[in-house]
Amino acid sequence: MANKMKIFQFPCREDNYGVILSDPETGLVISIDAPEEEPIADVLEDKRLKLTHILTTHHHGDHVAANAALKAAHACEIIGPKKEEAKIPGIDKSVDHGDTFELQGQRIEVIGTPGHTLGQIAYYFPDQKAVFAADAMFALGCGRIFEGDAAMMHLAMQRLAALPDETKVYAGHEYTLSNARFAVTIDPENKALIERAKEIEHLRDEGTPTLPTTIGVEKETNPFLRAHDPKIRALLVMESATDEEVFAEIRARKDRF
Ligand SMILES: [Zn+2]
């Protein structure tokens, strides 16, 4: 069993989250993406950490903006998605869906989560019971489809949902309040969702992060993981459609919400 890592989540930019993982025993220090230099540098300085790795999820500017500056300051290694390697600043090594690698004894599994971009990947740390899903799965939501299609995004969400229920899900953005307001329009009789939506209003009033969430909570309340649910299907008048078609309809409605 690998060492327990400390995980620090902090706001960056408008609504992004930065995440740093640290293994005090080995000195392994990982930044999941690099949305903005200053908040990441502040956390590293505050915790007296030297960054050893950046794990990039996808090529969007709000996920790679600080790659070059952090690499210059820390000489860290940058690992990113193979399908987007030409677009990741400073990339040293690329990985793809199904790959597993180890950093200082920490096992990391790569899950392909296409749809938002064609090559986006998530990083699953089984020993930490945590997945870093960037712009694929959000609390009560899923990423906007920019480069792929609904079938890809459905697949991405299903791959993440297959992780153990207790897995903590860290996502790239704090979009939960708007996601909750949309979710109750799709699944209005879901008691667990209604309770959660209330709690989220309260948390956001206080400025408290709603992440990380867990796979188990998302399976119960996230409409993008509930395309099989008879009540949702009835509400959408899609009783005989495939899960993928129902998912696509929910995604299209969220785009218009
Ligand atoms: Zn993105």
Side-chain angles (χ1 to χ4, degrees), residues 9-124:
Q9 175 185 260
F10 49 94
C12 290
R13 307 175 74 103
E14 290 272 294
D15 51 27
N16 284 73
Y17 280 121
V19 179
I20 290 174
L21 295 95
S22 159
D23 181 346
E25 305 233 354
T26 63
L28 176 68
V29 178
I30 298 169
S31 180
I32 304 295
D33 287 328
E36 188 181 9
E37 184 185 1
E38 200 178 306
I40 296 172
D42 285 351
V43 171
L44 293 171
E45 194 182 306
D46 185 49
K47 311 287 179 195
R48 299 176 186 278
L49 300 174
K50 181 169 166 53
L51 189 64
T52 59
H53 296 82
I54 297 172
L55 300 186
T56 301
T57 59
H58 67 296
H59 69 84
H60 284 162
D62 61 324
H63 293 258
V64 300
N67 275 20
L70 291 170
K71 191 169 181 175
H74 295 266
C76 55
E77 183 181 32
I78 301 179
I79 299 173
K82 186 157 196 72
K83 293 192 178 76
E84 298 181 1
E85 61 187 350
K87 296 179 182 171
I88 311 294
I91 193 166
D92 295 296
K93 181 180 156 184
S94 62
V95 291
D96 205 354
H97 175 66
D99 288 349
T100 294
F101 59 99
E102 269 194 23
L103 299 174
Q104 306 282 5
Q106 295 290 342
R107 182 181 157 89
I108 301 161
E109 298 177 16
V110 180
I111 302 171
T113 54
H116 177 72
T117 64
L118 289 175
Q120 183 172 240
I121 55 177
Y123 296 95
Y124 174 49

Side-chain angles (χ1 to χ4, degrees), residues 139-140 174 176-177 180 195-205 208 210:
L140 292 177
E174 178 63 60
T176 316
L177 189 56
E195 277 306 304
R196 191 175 176 206
K198 273 187 215 154
E199 189 190 321
I200 284 161
E201 296 270 354
H202 178 68
L203 288 172
R204 292 314 295 157
D205 277 349
T208 306
T210 61

Side-chain angles (χ1 to χ4, degrees), residues 123-210:
Y123 296 95
Y124 174 49
F125 288 59
D127 292 329
Q128 309 304 325
K129 297 183 167 51
V131 68
F132 300 91
D135 296 357
M137 183 185 288
F138 295 115
L140 292 177
C142 81
R144 235 172 225 279
I145 298 168
F146 287 122
E147 295 177 11
D149 55 27
M152 284 183 195
M153 186 57 92
H154 183 245
L155 173 69
M157 290 292 278
Q158 291 303 309
R159 283 175 173 169
L160 293 168
L163 295 171
D165 280 355
E166 71 268 24
T167 308
K168 289 188 283 298
V169 181
Y170 289 82
H173 295 267
E174 178 63 60
Y175 290 157
T176 316
L177 189 56
S178 123
N179 287 344
R181 288 173 179 168
F182 171 73
V184 295
T185 69
I186 296 294
D187 200 4
E189 289 174 49
N190 181 337
K191 288 202 179 72
L193 170 62
I194 292 161
E195 277 306 304
R196 191 175 176 206
K198 273 187 215 154
E199 189 190 321
I200 284 161
E201 296 270 354
H202 178 68
L203 288 172
R204 292 314 295 157
D205 277 349
E206 294 183 326
T208 306
T210 61

